[in-house]
Amino acid sequence: SEAVLAWKHCRHIADLARVASRCLLAEMKTLVQEESIPVPKGIKISIKSKIVEVSGKHGTLKRDFKHLPIELYLANSGHEVRAKMYFAKSKQLSMLR
């Protein structure tokens, strides 16, 4: 009976530790998250102060990303767009996906 009580106590402590680790993980922030998007041939992209302009054979699109805490820049001599986010939580990181 002492072994059963000890086992129940250990399981309870393990459950508490699992819940505590989930809470810590939920509150932890990712230091840097980076995503890259390849640019297809025939597409021209310009990025200036979080305003992205994409031009192709069917026209031009312009989007403003100033409301997002994100860093956007062109890499690989304009063949790739990279987005970086610093110190973000999981909900904020979903903006990159």
Side-chain angles (χ1 to χ4, degrees):
S1 107
E2 287 180 23
V4 172
L5 287 175
W7 174 251
K8 285 183 180 179
H9 183 70
C10 288
R11 283 189 57 200
H12 181 68
I13 290 174
D15 290 339
L16 288 176
R18 197 173 304 117
V19 169
S21 68
R22 283 185 191 152
C23 290
L24 286 175
L25 288 175
E27 293 299 319
M28 288 177 61
K29 293 182 178 182
T30 303
L31 294 180
V32 178
Q33 178 74 28
E34 184 173 4
E35 294 288 327
S36 63
I37 304 162
V39 178
K41 291 181 181 178
I43 303 295
K44 182 181 173 247
I45 295 181
S46 65
I47 299 173
K48 187 170 184 178
S49 60
K50 293 187 183 181
I51 297 176
V52 179
E53 189 170 345
V54 180
S55 300
K57 66 179 183 178
H58 295 294
T60 302
L61 286 173
K62 193 174 188 179
R63 294 288 184 261
D64 188 356
F65 293 96
K66 289 185 179 181
H67 64 284
L68 298 177
I70 195 169
E71 180 182 309
L72 295 168
Y73 61 95
L74 289 172
N76 293 339
S77 63
H79 296 291
E80 191 175 66
V81 176
R82 290 204 181 155
K84 270 188 186 178
M85 190 175 286
Y86 296 95
F87 304 109
K89 292 185 178 180
S90 62
K91 282 189 179 181
Q92 293 168 327
L93 288 175
S94 68
M95 291 184 278
L96 286 178
R97 295 182 205 133

